[in-house]
Amino acid sequence: MPFDVEKARADFPILSREIKGKPLIYLDSGASAQKPNAVIDAMSAAMRHSYANVHRGLHTLANETTDAYEAGRETVARFIGAQTNEIVFTKSATEAINLVAYSWGEHLQAGDEILTTEMEHHANIVPWYMLAQRKGVKLTYVPIRDDGSLDMAAFNQLLTPKVKLVAVTHMSNVLGTINPISDIVAKAHSVGAKVMVDGCQGVVHLPVNVKALDVDFYAFSAHKLYGPTGLGILYAKADILENMPPWQGGGEMIAHVSKEKITWNEPPHRFEAGTPAILEVIGLKAAIDWLAQFDRGEIAAHEHALYQRAHDRLSRINSLRIHGEAPGKGAILTFSLGQAHAHDVAQILDRYNVAVRAGTHCAEPLMTRLGVTSTVRASIALYNTDAEIDVLAEAVAKAQSFFA
């Protein structure tokens, strides 16, 4: 159906909350999005009506819950254009990337290289740093341009046959930059490198088809996609998963255990040791099903219009610097306000019930590149409105006068 922001907002009970008699304005969805009733109700119904542990159970509740859990896997696979056996559930996107580093990364040798970028979230840096320390692999950073776009000329120079993995974000959680993933993948594959994409922001704001992109690995989290916390998703090509060893031992990931020998389950279960996030998968399915009622293109247009409104209003404020203005960027607006610390700015905005994120945003190498110690980030979601953006602009203007 056509996207209607008021209809969408009505599905989020928290958005009707008032604090000290004024509406809540939530512009922190890049950290974690709010949850629609569909998600809340689905998880509650599963606990009230049909909950048991999944797989191997023979009773009715176990079968019902297993069916619901695996239906969640099927829904995720359809959502990103994957096969069901290519979807691994983890506790977070961070864990999904670590899984790749510790399992697939074991075949790397000293002298091999990993390319990442200056704009990455720590989750797409630290696991590769740890792998480099463990295996003697070289970790190299592709620089960004002043507008926040990736320096593709530098990428082309750094991409040599020694590179075995390119780890890159689909959409920067700080700058909103949307990287040319198809181009990066084609170039990486031409020298025999695999590509790991951090899709935590990308999958929320962009239609994603992993087969069309031809990525080898794609990770994202449920809680940024209007679903619950405690659940990450790793997509990996079936043939790659088949040749990856398990990275955690326990129940479910095994085929057979004896005193003398243990054999592994088939992917994706090989990588899901122990009781999984059952209710969270059910909640994520509900979130994706809820999102499917809207036209993704219309949502993107709505979010872009809000970003442009915010950009236009905030850019008029003296001493305010917007970070990241790459062409075609997503609906994330990050800024500095003179010499004021980002935490102080965020606290003033909170007086007007405007919730934003302040700090390094788990991207310290990027902060160094930008020449700042911290920034304020307003991340826009489908449920935000023109009126909320106007309150943001007014609150930032008042903060600016406070620090003048």
Side-chain angles (χ1 to χ4, degrees):
M1 68 171 68
F3 180 68
D4 180 339
V5 65
E6 293 303 329
K7 181 181 185 304
R9 284 179 64 83
D11 286 336
F12 291 83
I14 200 169
L15 297 182
S16 63
R17 180 180 176 184
E18 292 189 348
I19 302 173
K20 297 180 180 178
K22 294 183 179 180
L24 166 68
I25 298 173
Y26 189 78
L27 291 167
D28 195 22
S29 298
S32 197
Q34 297 299 340
K35 321 305 173 193
N37 282 318
V39 172
I40 298 167
D41 293 346
M43 296 176 71
S44 177
M47 287 185 280
R48 291 177 183 278
H49 175 71
S50 186
Y51 175 79
N53 211 328
V54 294
H55 306 132
R56 304 175 189 251
L58 298 177
H59 56 82
T60 299
L61 293 185
N63 290 334
E64 288 176 351
T65 308
T66 298
D67 287 346
Y69 177 80
E70 291 301 333
R73 196 189 308 271
E74 293 169 2
T75 296
V76 171
R78 284 194 302 272
F79 183 64
I80 62 170
Q83 299 169 195
T84 304
N85 64 339
E86 296 173 318
I87 301 299
V88 178
F89 289 128
T90 60
K91 72 178 183 183
S92 63
T94 297
E95 185 175 81
I97 296 172
N98 275 274
L99 190 166
V100 176
Y102 277 88
S103 180
W104 178 87
E106 279 304 301
H107 86 274
L108 297 186
Q109 301 175 353
D112 290 339
E113 297 182 10
I114 296 173
L115 276 187
T116 188
T117 84
E118 289 182 325
M119 71 175 75
E120 299 306 311
H121 188 284
H122 293 163
N124 208 22
I125 294 176
V126 178
W128 312 121
Y129 174 87
M130 295 170 69
L131 176 61
Q133 295 290 300
R134 191 168 71 247
K135 303 284 287 185
V137 174
K138 181 180 179 182
L139 180 61
T140 304
Y141 294 81
V142 180
I144 63 170
R145 298 183 181 278
D146 290 342
D147 68 355
S149 61
L150 191 63
D151 188 337
M152 290 302 293
F155 173 79
N156 293 336
Q157 283 189 322
L158 293 169
L159 185 67
T160 72
K162 289 185 178 181
V163 175
K164 303 304 177 186
L165 180 76
V166 175
V168 61
T169 184
H170 198 164
M171 175 177 161
S172 167
N173 73 305
V174 179
L175 304 171
T177 301
I178 297 172
N179 285 314
I181 298 300
S182 293
D183 189 25
I184 290 170
V185 169
K187 290 175 177 177
H189 286 174
S190 73
V191 299
K194 305 297 186 189
V195 178
M196 168 84 239
V197 176
D198 171 0
C200 285
Q201 303 296 332
V203 78
V204 179
H205 299 283
L206 304 166
V208 172
N209 186 301
V210 292
K211 298 301 182 183
L213 293 172
D214 198 26
V215 295
D216 302 289
F217 306 101
Y218 196 98
F220 61 99
S221 54
H223 70 100
K224 290 180 172 64
L225 192 61
Y226 309 104
T229 55
L231 177 63
I233 299 89
L234 173 67
Y235 158 80
K237 290 180 177 177
D239 61 328
I240 296 177
L241 281 178
E242 189 63 43
N243 290 290
M244 284 169 53
W247 79 305
Q248 291 180 329
E252 188 60 32
M253 48 75 63
I254 51 85
H256 180 71
V257 176
S258 69
K259 293 180 180 179
E260 296 77 22
K261 185 178 180 180
I262 300 174
T263 56
W264 314 130
N265 205 341
E266 295 297 314
H269 304 293
R270 179 186 302 171
F271 306 102
E272 296 178 0
T275 297
I278 300 167
L279 296 170
E280 288 75 12
V281 170
I282 291 170
L284 176 58
K285 180 184 185 303
I288 293 172
D289 288 343
W290 176 85
L291 191 60
Q293 69 182 299
F294 303 115
D295 183 287
R296 294 294 299 277
E298 292 184 6
I299 291 175
H302 168 73
E303 292 175 342
H304 179 73
L306 293 177
Y307 168 80
Q308 196 59 54
R309 188 183 189 92
H311 183 281
D312 292 346
R313 292 287 303 272
L314 294 183
S315 61
R316 302 173 197 164
I317 298 173
N318 292 335
S319 77
L320 187 142
R321 174 188 171 195
I322 295 174
H323 302 286
E325 301 199 59
K329 63 165 287 183
I332 291 175
L333 197 151
T334 298
F335 64 91
S336 301
L337 190 62
Q339 298 303 311
H341 195 284
H343 290 170
D344 294 332
V345 177
Q347 284 187 313
I348 291 175
L349 298 187
D350 186 53
R351 296 178 186 176
Y352 300 93
N353 291 346
V354 178
V356 295
R357 183 75 26 171
T360 64
H361 316 292
C362 292
E364 289 186 42
L366 177 57
M367 296 296 111
T368 300
R369 168 64 177 84
L370 297 175
V372 297
T373 58
S374 63
T375 60
V376 180
R377 183 186 70 188
S379 48
I380 294 167
L382 60 80
Y383 40 61
N384 292 124
T385 67
D386 288 349
E388 291 180 324
I389 297 301
D390 292 343
V391 175
L392 166 70
E394 291 164 9
V396 174
K398 289 174 182 176
Q400 191 273 337
S401 64
F402 180 86
F403 293 109

